[in-house]
Amino acid sequence: DAGVIQSPRHEVTEMGQEVTLRCKPISGHNSLFWYRQTMMRGLELLIYFNNNVPIDDSGMPEDRFSAKMPNASFSTLKIQPSEPRDSAVYFCASSSDGLLYEQYFGPGTRLTVT
Amino acid sequence: GENVEQHPSTLSVQEGDSAVIKCTYSDSASNYFPWYKQELGKRPQLIIDIRSNVGEKKDQRIAVTLNKTAKHFSLHITETQPEDSAVYFCAASSGGATNKLIFGTGTLLAVQP
């Protein structure tokens, strides 16, 4: 099992640019979660999907953030336009309804916006 | 909504001593309580979990206890080793119809050799 896969692992971009983060959940998992981690705010849930449908996006900071899950094996988190305060580590995690709540995290994407 | 509080924020112990991290939660409907370990620059990794029908669970040197009446749960690490040094997060399921986890703010554990 390859685990949750995220790309890119590191992203450096200039303020105002569009950033797209990608995630492939564990095969067979039907829930996918996007988190943001910073020293100041800790681990924050941004959005979560179940069976490709967004269930709770109350953690999405503002309209500059959007997320999609076009199929069971792929999700994107897009920031447009990016700002320096978006600098953080973004984690994707997945879980299965059969093992309720057990979430497994990907390696994360470290985003730096200059 | 669910709120999870975690204490202490930092903990320093001598190698071989025990470490205890405590969390409280607010939603009585929560029924799943995992603990994650995050080493510097790495992803959070699930190390142990407990469900509400169990009061205690042990896996080698780590154990978790749950008191549903008081709404608190704890992580116990015995015979600590330097490789136990990391940030530990507790979490609680949010209850209701979703399978969200609400995370605590983390505890930085330093095991001094």
Side-chain angles (χ1 to χ4, degrees), chain B residues 9-15 19 21 80-88 107-113:
Chain B
S9 57
T10 60
L11 178 60
S12 182
V13 299
Q14 291 296 125
E15 183 177 357
I21 303 170
T80 53
Q81 301 168 3
E83 51 265 39
D84 294 330
S85 297
V87 177
Y88 291 81
T107 296
L108 175 60
L109 173 65
V111 180
Q112 308 297 333

Side-chain angles (χ1 to χ4, degrees), chain B:
Chain B
E2 174 70 283
N3 182 49
V4 177
E5 295 189 358
Q6 182 171 349
H7 300 280
S9 57
T10 60
L11 178 60
S12 182
V13 299
Q14 291 296 125
E15 183 177 357
D17 287 351
S18 295
V20 180
I21 303 170
K22 299 181 179 181
C23 289
T24 61
Y25 62 98
S26 59
D27 189 346
S28 57
S30 294
N31 58 7
Y32 175 69
F33 308 91
W35 287 87
Y36 286 80
K37 175 183 180 182
Q38 186 176 27
E39 297 176 354
L40 187 62
K42 301 289 183 63
R43 76 189 79 186
Q45 291 200 298
L46 179 64
I47 56 171
I48 195 168
D49 57 16
I50 193 167
R51 296 183 190 270
S52 61
N53 57 346
V54 175
E56 183 174 359
K57 184 176 178 180
K58 191 172 182 180
D59 182 3
Q60 298 182 6
R61 295 186 298 108
I62 60 172
V64 58
T65 58
L66 171 65
N67 183 329
K68 286 219 74 180
T69 302
K71 294 184 191 170
H72 65 72
F73 56 113
S74 302
L75 177 71
H76 304 253
I77 306 174
T78 58
E79 301 173 25
T80 53
Q81 301 168 3
E83 51 265 39
D84 294 330
S85 297
V87 177
Y88 291 81
F89 292 94
C90 64
S93 59
S94 65
T98 75
N99 57 351
K100 283 174 28 176
L101 292 176
I102 307 301
F103 283 84
T105 50
T107 296
L108 175 60
L109 173 65
V111 180
Q112 308 297 333

Side-chain angles (χ1 to χ4, degrees), chain A:
Chain A
D1 190 340
V4 177
I5 298 172
Q6 289 186 247
S7 65
R9 296 292 307 276
H10 302 273
E11 177 80 33
V12 181
T13 191
E14 291 185 348
M15 183 174 63
Q17 296 298 306
E18 177 180 294
V19 175
T20 299
L21 311 181
R22 298 172 176 80
C23 176
K24 176 179 170 56
I26 293 172
S27 178
H29 282 195
N30 60 340
S31 288
L32 183 141
F33 305 81
W34 282 102
Y35 292 91
R36 178 172 68 178
Q37 187 175 41
T38 61
M39 288 295 293
M40 291 298 295
R41 301 175 69 92
L43 197 59
E44 302 174 274
L45 177 65
L46 301 178
I47 186 170
Y48 116 75
F49 295 85
N50 184 257
N51 294 322
N52 312 338
V53 175
I55 302 299
D56 185 344
D57 64 355
S58 59
M60 295 287 263
E62 49 197 274
D63 292 346
R64 297 185 299 106
F65 285 69
S66 62
K68 294 182 179 180
M69 191 162 187
N71 58 61
S73 58
F74 183 66
S75 176
T76 59
L77 177 67
K78 184 177 293 186
I79 308 172
Q80 165 66 16
S82 57
E83 297 182 2
R85 61 191 167 122
D86 302 330
S87 296
V89 180
Y90 291 81
F91 287 104
C92 175
S94 70
S95 71
S96 164
D97 286 352
L99 292 171
L100 199 59
Y101 304 128
E102 290 183 24
Q103 294 185 21
Y104 296 89
F105 283 74
T109 295
R110 181 173 296 278
L111 173 65
T112 303
V113 183
T114 60

